[in-house]
Amino acid sequence: MAARRAVVVGLALLLGSSAFAQPSSQSTSDSPLVDRPNGPKRAEVERFALVGGTIHAAAGQEPFEGTVYIEGGRITLVDRIGGEPPAGFAIIDATDLHLYPAFVEAFYEVGAPAPGSPGSPGTHWNPLVTPQRSALDATWPDEGARSGLRKLGFGVVAIAPDGGIFRGSNAVISLAEPSDDASGHRPLVLRDRVGQVMAFESSGWGSNRQYPTSQMGSIALVRQTLLDARWQSRQEGIASNALTPLEDEGVALWFDVPTELEAIRASSMAREFGRSAVIVGSGTEYQRLDALRREADQGDLTLVVPLRFPKAPRVKSLAESEAIDLGTLMAWEQAPTNLRRVQAAGFDLVLTTSKLPSGIGGRSGFHGHLRTAIEHGFDEQDALAALTTRPAALLGIEDHVGTIEPGKLGNLIVTTGPIFDKDTTILDVWIEGHRHEIGQPEAESLEGMWELTLAGRFRLDLDIDAKGKGVMSDPGMEVAEGEEAPTTKATLDRTLDTLTVNFDHEPFGMPGVFTLTGTVTGDEIVGVGARPDGVAFEFTGARMAPEEEVEEDSTDEDATEDDDDGPPEDLGGYPFGPYSVAQIPEQETLVITNATVWTVSDAGTIVGGWVAVADGRIVGVGEGSPPMLEGVRVIDAQGRHVTPGLIDAHSHTGTWSGGTNEAGQAVTAEVRMGDTTDPDPVNWYRQLAGGVTTVNTLHGSANPIGGQNVIQKVRWGAVHPTDMHFEDARPGIKFALGENVKQSNWGDRFTTRYPQTRMGVETIIRDRFIAAREYAANGMKTPTGRTDLELEALAEILAGDRLIHCHSYRQDEILMLCRVAEEFGFKIGTFQHGLECYKVAEAVREHAIGASIFSDWWAFKVEVQDAIPYGGPILHAAGVNVSFNSDSDELARRMNIEAAKAIKYGGLSPEEAIRFITINPAIQLAIDDRVGSIEAGKDADLVIWSGNPLSTMSRCEHVFIDGREYFSLETDMAHRERIASERERLIQKLMREQAKLPEREVGAGTDDAEERPRDPHGVDGPTRLGVYAWFYGHDGRMAAGASMCGACGVLPAEYLEMIQQEGR
Amino acid sequence: MRIATALSVSLLAAASAFAQDLTPRGEVPDHPIAITGATIHTMVEGADPIEGGYVLFEDGRITDIGQGDRMFIATTRIIDGAGMHVYPGLIAAGTRLGLAEIGAVRAMRDFAEVGSIKPEVRAVVAVNPDSTLLPVARTNGILLVGTFPSGGLVSGQAGVIRLDGWTWEDMTANANAGIVMSWPSVRQGYRAFGGGQPLTEAAVRQRLEAIDRLFDTAEAYRDARAADPSTLIDLRLEAMLDLLPGVEDQKPLIITADDVERIQSAVTWAAGRGLKVIIRGGRDAPMLAELLKKHDVPVIVRGVHAFPRRNDSPVDEAFTLPARLDATGVRWCLAPRDVDEHVRNLPYEAALAVAYGRGLGFDETDAMAAITRSAADILGIGDDYGTLEVGKSATLLLTDGTPLEMTTRLDAAFIDGARVDLSNKQTVLRDKYTEKYHRQGLIERDN
């Protein structure tokens, strides 16, 4: 290593003028911001020439050798010819080194102060809405944080205020270290008010419940606030307030999101207002890539992606692996593929060092993770762009940073090699033409045979190996035949260029410890030593040229690395994890024949009937031989029954991640369940497997007026969350009465929110309807002309455009809402639960489309003491439209049995009972033109049952939605097999790592392995379930007497055939 | 339109106008009763149903069962069971009926005593005979229930009660079916509702040591009492004596454990101490069948209305547990998942196990055994209940089909030979509001 650290130009030279200097070049210390010097002004070196390095001027460009000139903080010339620098430049020898543009960190959170105490002038009512905050008011990242970023190669950082929903604007600042002299350099602010930083924050359901308590509430608040800002931009006479920074719709919205689903939600929100979105993501984008792609195609979306890799799950014991879900295993393996896949999907992603979990080393693990991502196929030039040109452009500072070009800031990284290589060290980061020393080049190895001469006479040889261990020997010593020359261990200590050697001289003559201390220069050493008796002497030494060695075979360690399987196969499909679907099933043209068809229409139940499906619709139903059989799929449903897809009019599936309740206020009509649809939970699939095809996703019952519901089809594997939504369904909204809304069971702390009684519940509902009536009368505007999303939803109820689905139990409150409906002139959609509807059937019949109730729930709280399973049948008999619902992900898997309870408790005919879970809820949700019965023209949402659907001993075998087969026993079987083999593979992979067992090639070498049966259900021998089998102790055999594998729960094909033959 | 009442009892004249909590308990008549011409499902292991059979019972006990015609003494009340079926009364092995009325109301909860170790508390003494929940379960053929205390490490003594009686003493079929405890683990419990929280290793060790110490102390106490009868009585330790090896009629420890780790360590520990054990939960029991059989440990499966353990588990994992367990030869019975107001749905959980377990060889007879004979045996009342046999209690159902099917009608039920009222609070409310709509003309009156 050359003495590259020396600045070889004398100070005097700097005072001369430079032929290279741009006329506009300005000294960085010539700034109005700096103080007068304390004493004589110190001259600073401001002209540098980095000579002879490999210059990577910009991502995607071929590197070249040359010289970079920096003057006054900016790059003035990038010289490819490499002539001698003119006088006046401090020359930095960059021979053998690499120069890169310094990195740009696009997202770094800082604690910015709140703009004022609540209620102070200009503030928003919600403390989480603080768009007026500025990152520049924040505490500057401390020295540790700044140097931490510099060590990674960053020259500038975009700081963003943390905490809140509207968090304020971000700004780009330089990471140059300020001079410790008040008159010296002060780092630049490159750009202020870059974007508005946001997050869908909420208080959660903890003890400190404040609006919003849910993500959907947070989204509703964002929507209302952006509307308000738009309104305000058209007003006059408002100087400045919290909303002012939001008025310019050209400012991008920067969303900090923790999941890929939130990324989609954030993008949709920005798109709704025609604004650019920058998503600071989760590292899990690959799990919803196609939906993100679709978002990007429809709007302006940039992804800033962290390198979040999950910690390897522990699976050493059976109990541990049994507790681990396949999705967790897959996420562990697949996370490093994220960058490549996001890039391949057409996103020019930007990298950030933020969000690296401290459990895996935090920010300092950045380069290691990036290397892992590169090993998983992420292109190095993309990596460089994602750290330089792209963030520079995103932040609008591309004229200043991102490349090594004249005119740009002198922001460079100097490295010992290609920047993403494992062995490369970052030596310096130059920022604004100031050099920040980061790393030392690795000290040169002392390995080799050193011939020492002590006191000019005595020869000793010091053999230093690759690990720095030394052995001393005397080459002049005579050794008897067959004996080895004596040696002694030499301990070495090295400080910079000084080497100290201690050794026991006993084998060579004088007993006792000798010490030698010398200065190493290349292959030479010169120094002084001392004998045990204290007599000092000088010594010299030289390293002998190494003997030519025959290339050895790679060591064992290398061999192990070679055995590495390489990057894993990409696992995809939606939703990510078990039961994922690679492709939404095709829309089929098909005929189901020989079935008992429950049409749930005037056609009744047809024994020996058929149903024909094309283009997602039912095209015919009949008895006997179907008309169309040529070239279409025919399902012979001999002995089987076909019903319409089941409809669950009360579901909360997929709401847990976005919140089921917005409990922060008594009235939250502005909240929309559809904003936070989560297609991931496996409970969707489980319900599908029970024949459910349509659900009404309702807000919870925490407040008298809750959020807007969304009707969804159980389109498992949907690419985009909104693909689940039932197209053009009539809007609805959740209301709630009784114990939940008056907080009876919330705990003793919750006694102050209005209402606390059923009296107050009526009052608040009537009060809001009066306000909504005024709002409607004012042309759907507030008196000042604002759009109020809460009143808008309520006014839609009054207009008959939005249906109320009202959680209710007691007859008094049910009757109350009927009277409110009468007063305001609208029809109620449904009473949900409505367990005492049976006591006021005459009112329910008149004022609601129907009652959507539990079949037999009761006694779980005070207000349901009088609930009876006869309620549904009584209402039905009294002429009320009745449906049975689940309100439970568990119960929703067996709604057919719920319907049978109408027979048990009310003596209904089977045809009447099945209506409770098909056409009746369809009517209640106003979707009966599309679903709920088997009639030509309706959606082909069909279920094939093994027997009578109302029998407790039947099960669902096929489910079609829109003419697509979303579930069948065969596809379920395929899922199970795939899950079993993926689990086996991943657990084996982890277990080998964790138990530190050597890799073993399956099927190679041993006879035993070759004979291993490939079928996991093979009756003999160990299975490919491997670890499972031996832990379970059944050696891969079926559990005794059973035909299901006890280890993996997979149904063997024989079972499938058996149940199909049995017919039920 | 008219509404049919599910309980069109025509075979026997009996008043059912009032809810059970307002009517006297059933009375054992002073004459024999014979149900004739019915299919008798004795539920005796391996026995086929008796077509065209009869059951004769007197003074609460079955005196004869047979096929075809038989002469009865003149006083015998004969019930024509032609086309009907007779089954033993259904038994719900683990519930908390009688101990809780409305779970949301603290004053109505009597199932969890304070503290961690309380073997001394007895469930039966807290059973409220007038709970509205009991007759509702009975209306669906559940005639006996295990009622279990819960909470803490050692929860107390489980009882078995008949769902008819003036007092809890009348109702008690087994005052101590075992002592309920939960097994601690560092791992989270079943993911479905009620899944336990994970504990630290230290917390688990501390609990396991506490249990061991409890048994050590109980043994020392037993010896001390034997050596010196004036040793002061300790109620907690006194309750432990029935569990100790060597005692006459040793009671089981009913240990709640679902996962493989818990079951394994609980059974191994108990076997080492010579204890009798019942595992309650048993999700992973099929994996440990050999261990369970070796120590003759039965399993009370806590229903099938549960989620699969993991997201990647087979969607019907909980539904097939009975079939998978049954196939291993482990002794087991089925308890309802819900322990309160939904106990009445126990037969439909058993039916679901058939729907999803047929392919594994699990049939309706197996399902019925799990809620009659096996439940009785595991709850320690097998000598009197669970099957229809001469000498056993006449606790039985008269139906028009299998109790597993939703549409099956229950026409009559007998507990210890007394016919019980099948009405309840809910049927009274039904009748009350049906009458309202009769008067309003919304529902036609029955003819």
Side-chain angles (χ1 to χ4, degrees), chain A residues 288 574-575 581 584 679 715-724 966:
Chain A
R288 278 281 160 199
Y574 300 106
V581 179
I584 297 292
R715 293 176 179 130
W716 177 249
V719 168
H720 193 288
T722 53
D723 291 350
M724 303 270 290
Y966 275 91

Side-chain angles (χ1 to χ4, degrees), chain A residues 9-23:
Chain A
V9 184
L11 187 60
L13 285 173
L14 285 167
L15 303 174
S17 66
S18 162
F20 285 76
Q22 303 286 319

Side-chain angles (χ1 to χ4, degrees), chain A residues 468-480:
Chain A
K469 296 227 171 81
V471 174
M472 199 69 85
S473 58
D474 181 353
M477 190 173 277
E478 291 189 12
V479 181

